[in-house]
Amino acid sequence: MSFAAMTRASADRLQMAAMGAVAGLACWILVDVLPDAFNDDRVVLFLAAFGGAFFAALLAASGPLSAARAAAVGLAVSLLPALLLLWASFRFETVQDYLETGHPLVAFAILVALPVPFLIAALGPIRDWRDYPELFDQSWNVVVRYVAAWLFTGLFWLVVVLSNELFNVIGLKILEDLWEIEPVPFVVTGLVLGLALAVVNELSDYVSPYLALRLLRLLLPVVLVVVVVFIVMVPVRGLSGLFGSLSAAGILMAMATGAITLVSTAIDQSDEEAVSMPFMRLASQALALTLPVLAGLAVYAIWMRVGQYGWSPDRLAAACVAGVVLLYALLYALAVGRRVRWMASIRAANTYLALLVIAVAAVWLTPLMNAQRISAADQLERFADGRTSLDDLDLWTIGKTWGKAGTAVVPRFADVARDGQSIIGEQLAALDKASDRYVYEQLLSGPGSDRMREFLSLVQVRPLGTAVPDGMFGQAGAPADWISSCGLRTAAGNPGCVILFADLLPEAEGDEAFLVTKQPADWVRAEMWRRSVDGQWINQGLPVRIAGPEAPINSDAVIDQIIEGQFELETYSIPTIRFGETHFMMLP
């Protein structure tokens, strides 16, 4: 290397290290200083989003572009996304509630990351944002550069930790004292990251994405076999585990996204760089043709879930992702079906589909796609026309986690409630009083709640004529689950819930209550309630599963025989080991 080249390399390293150090200092200010300096969390949100996006893009674009143009890229992908993120935050009362939904951060990350390769291509030597080889190369280079730089940064901190431990052996606290200065860890991390990026940029001929791309291609036949087996077995095994499940849809979308990535790596940036082996090309084509099946099943699974329970922000987000994945799948399959220049067609589709993803992410942060408002309106409409029952209505989620739109729509549920749904008023009152979901559910399950009264009107009580004491279950009851059990029928046609009062604990005063409830999977749940010394009813031990398909007695028979009185009370003498008030026993 010539002296001029060494001087230029040193200057580049100093520049990148300085950029990284400033980025680290800014990160410390955003994390530790700004929250205390501003009372308005939305100001902090905007500044943190703007600063984080700017420096992330600046470091990513530095190397392929000059420092000035890299700064222009950072400004372009930080200001508008940060403003959109701030705008959408007004859907919620607090920034914390807004960010806990997760969706805005994903949309923001897309708006920051995806445009960077386009801007590098537009501002770099090629000066063409649609040049696919440049877009492909820059996209993967950004990933590889950042991964390599962060690995080195992690290694640096490992060395620092080991060095500190070594110094501790001889009583030196130099490093510990240095790291206790608040901005130092942030600044040093940024400096090392920037320096590592500079070195990676210098060695771009050696540290390239080609190794990763070649390794990814090896997975293509494996994924193809898995997908083909899945598609062949779907008609045989049935779809009961798929439709109506958002998690199953997520798995399908993830697999389809992985397959799309593998096909894109196989066709590379040009026909010359694409897979050359005939088997691999056929495998790429076959995998592309299976994509519509995976994406179509994912879309149908989401559609079934929405048909059952209506829209929610999570389902809207899943629908957007599934729609984009399906469009990718259809364009890939269509390109392969045409056969003529099918790889060039996929590359062209990738360019414009990436722009579509950016547009969808931007729209998600605008009022055009207010997921909370859309979901709240849909849930109200479904409840009003009877598609959502009172048992399936989750007012806590709507009113407490869907922002201002959910809060505004909750009182309207009382206006559209039909006859027999007076309990909606109790739910709304509990919603106003509860500080968290647990308290809300406890308020609805209290001794005076409508659900508890409904359960007591349904449950069979034995011996006949025995009355359930007022407030016996207190706040520990689960009337919603018990009501569902009562709605199930045994083989003899009895309700799936019964309470037996009997002297099951001779050492305790009075009778105990033995509650048995039927469960959908052919088993029954049993729990016991007894009086404490002060006369209060308490739950005795944990609920147990006492019957099932493998048991000698049918689960329905447990409830039926209690109702019909076809049982006997027996007393067993069990030796115990006593330590103070604690007893240990071996059950027969």
Side-chain angles (χ1 to χ4, degrees):
M1 181 182 294
S2 65
F3 178 77
M6 292 176 62
T7 302
R8 181 174 179 180
S10 298
D12 289 341
R13 291 185 183 186
L14 287 174
Q15 178 177 278
M16 288 293 292
M19 286 183 184
V22 173
L25 180 62
C27 182
W28 171 73
I29 293 173
L30 293 173
V31 171
D32 287 347
V33 178
L34 283 184
D36 296 330
F38 293 95
N39 293 326
D40 192 340
D41 287 345
R42 297 188 202 279
V43 174
V44 177
L45 172 68
F46 170 75
L47 293 176
F50 174 75
F54 174 79
F55 284 107
L58 171 67
L59 293 175
S62 296
L65 300 177
S66 65
R69 292 188 177 185
V73 171
L75 187 62
V77 301
S78 59
L79 181 57
L80 181 58
L83 288 172
L84 289 174
L85 189 70
L86 173 65
W87 190 14
S89 72
F90 288 97
R91 301 174 189 177
F92 289 78
E93 293 291 345
T94 67
V95 170
Q96 180 179 353
D97 291 340
Y98 168 62
L99 295 180
E100 284 179 353
T101 64
H103 310 132
L105 293 178
V106 174
F108 177 74
I110 291 173
L111 289 176
V112 172
L114 286 191
V116 169
F118 287 95
L119 293 171
I120 293 176
L123 297 176
I126 301 297
R127 297 294 177 91
D128 185 1
W129 64 269
R130 293 172 298 182
D131 186 85
Y132 189 82
E134 181 71 4
L135 290 174
F136 184 89
D137 189 46
Q138 293 299 338
S139 298
W140 283 101
N141 275 335
V142 168
V143 174
V144 171
R145 288 201 303 269
Y146 255 124
V147 169
W150 276 113
L151 285 175
F152 175 77
T153 304
L155 182 62
F156 166 82
W157 279 109
L158 177 61
V159 172
V160 168
V161 171
L162 293 176
S163 301
N164 182 64
E165 294 300 321
L166 186 62
F167 283 170
N168 284 338
V169 173
I170 56 176
L172 288 179
K173 302 292 184 180
I174 299 175
L175 292 179
E176 286 187 10
D177 294 340
L178 183 61
W179 304 137
E180 287 179 359
I181 302 174
E182 287 192 350
V184 168
F186 289 89
V187 173
V188 171
T189 298
L191 187 149
V192 174
L193 179 66
L195 181 62
L197 284 170
V199 175
V200 173
N201 289 334
E202 294 172 15
L203 302 176
S204 57
D205 292 337
Y206 302 96
V207 184
S208 71
Y210 291 110
L211 175 61
L213 296 177
R214 295 304 186 272
L215 291 175
L216 282 175
R217 290 178 182 180
L218 298 178
L219 296 176
L220 195 147
V222 178
V223 173
L224 175 62
V225 171
V226 172
V227 172
V228 169
V229 171
F230 171 79
I231 293 173
V232 170
M233 294 303 294
V234 161
V236 178
R237 306 291 294 183
L239 300 172
S240 59
L242 168 65
F243 294 149
S245 172
L246 201 59
S247 59
I251 294 172
L252 285 167
M253 287 188 291
M255 197 67 180
T257 302
I260 290 168
T261 302
L262 291 177
V263 173
S264 294
T265 59
I267 66 172
D268 213 281
Q269 57 183 308
S270 64
D271 290 355
E272 291 75 19
E273 299 289 340
V275 290
S276 57
M277 295 176 59
F279 167 73
M280 290 297 291
R281 291 207 171 191
L282 287 175
S284 302
Q285 292 175 312
L287 188 58
L289 291 174
T290 64
L291 287 173
V293 179
L294 291 177
L297 288 175
V299 169
Y300 191 55
I302 295 171
W303 180 72
M304 290 287 290
R305 190 72 172 177
V306 172
Q308 289 175 320
Y309 301 106
W311 287 112
S312 70
D314 286 344
R315 293 181 198 120
L316 273 169
C320 290
V321 174
V324 171
V325 171
L326 180 61
L327 190 55
Y328 265 96
L330 292 175
L331 291 178
Y332 275 39
L334 181 62
V336 172
R338 292 174 57 189
R339 299 190 64 81
V340 179
R341 293 179 53 82
W342 65 276
M343 288 190 288
S345 297
I346 290 179
R347 295 188 194 105
N350 282 342
T351 301
Y352 293 103
L353 287 172
L355 296 176
L356 174 64
V357 172
I358 295 173
V360 171
V363 170
W364 185 268
L365 297 177
T366 69
L368 296 175
M369 184 60 76
N370 187 328
Q372 289 74 29
R373 187 191 66 237
I374 295 171
S375 301
D378 180 67
Q379 291 297 326
L380 179 64
E381 181 181 346
R382 289 176 60 88
F383 182 71
D385 61 24
R387 285 179 292 164
T388 296
S389 66
L390 189 60
D391 290 338
D392 291 333
L393 183 63
D394 188 356
L395 284 180
W396 175 266
T397 297
I398 297 172
K400 296 297 186 179
T401 66
W402 288 3
K404 296 178 180 178
T407 303
V409 82
V410 159
R412 298 175 59 189
F413 282 92
D415 300 333
V416 300
R418 298 178 300 279
D419 294 340
Q421 293 181 329
S422 58
I423 190 176
I424 193 72
E426 181 188 346
Q427 293 189 24
L428 294 175
L431 198 64
D432 290 334
K433 298 177 183 177
S435 57
D436 55 50
R437 191 182 191 101
Y438 175 78
V439 174
Y440 171 71
E441 292 177 348
Q442 291 303 307
L443 289 172
L444 293 181
S445 303
S449 68
D450 288 346
R451 288 191 176 184
M452 185 61 74
R453 286 191 289 269
E454 182 182 356
F455 165 66
L456 294 177
S457 69
L458 296 173
V459 67
Q460 298 290 302
V461 181
R462 294 297 183 272
L464 286 171
T466 304
V468 178
D470 292 337
M472 186 182 84
F473 298 108
Q475 298 292 338
D481 295 336
W482 296 342
I483 289 170
S484 299
S485 294
C486 293
L488 302 175
R489 293 287 165 175
T490 68
N494 291 311
C497 56
V498 61
I499 300 177
L500 171 66
F501 286 91
D503 189 9
L504 302 175
L505 292 175
E507 68 274 14
E509 182 178 350
D511 290 342
E512 287 67 48
F514 186 60
L515 171 63
V516 183
T517 52
K518 179 177 173 61
Q519 306 298 317
D522 194 25
W523 61 282
V524 292
R525 174 188 177 102
E527 47 194 309
M528 189 171 70
W529 301 76
R530 66 173 179 86
R531 286 188 183 275
S532 62
V533 177
D534 59 4
Q536 298 295 320
W537 285 88
I538 59 175
N539 190 258
Q540 174 72 25
L542 297 174
V544 296
R545 175 175 179 152
I546 64 173
E550 72 285 353
I553 181 173
N554 182 271
S555 60
D556 285 358
V558 176
I559 296 176
D560 291 334
Q561 291 182 19
I562 291 176
I563 292 176
E564 300 300 327
Q566 300 174 358
F567 61 88
E568 297 180 4
L569 297 178
E570 297 183 354
T571 301
Y572 286 88
S573 177
I574 302 177
T576 64
I577 304 174
R578 178 178 176 181
F579 301 94
E581 297 300 322
T582 302
H583 294 256
F584 290 86
M585 66 183 67
M586 180 68 70
L587 296 178

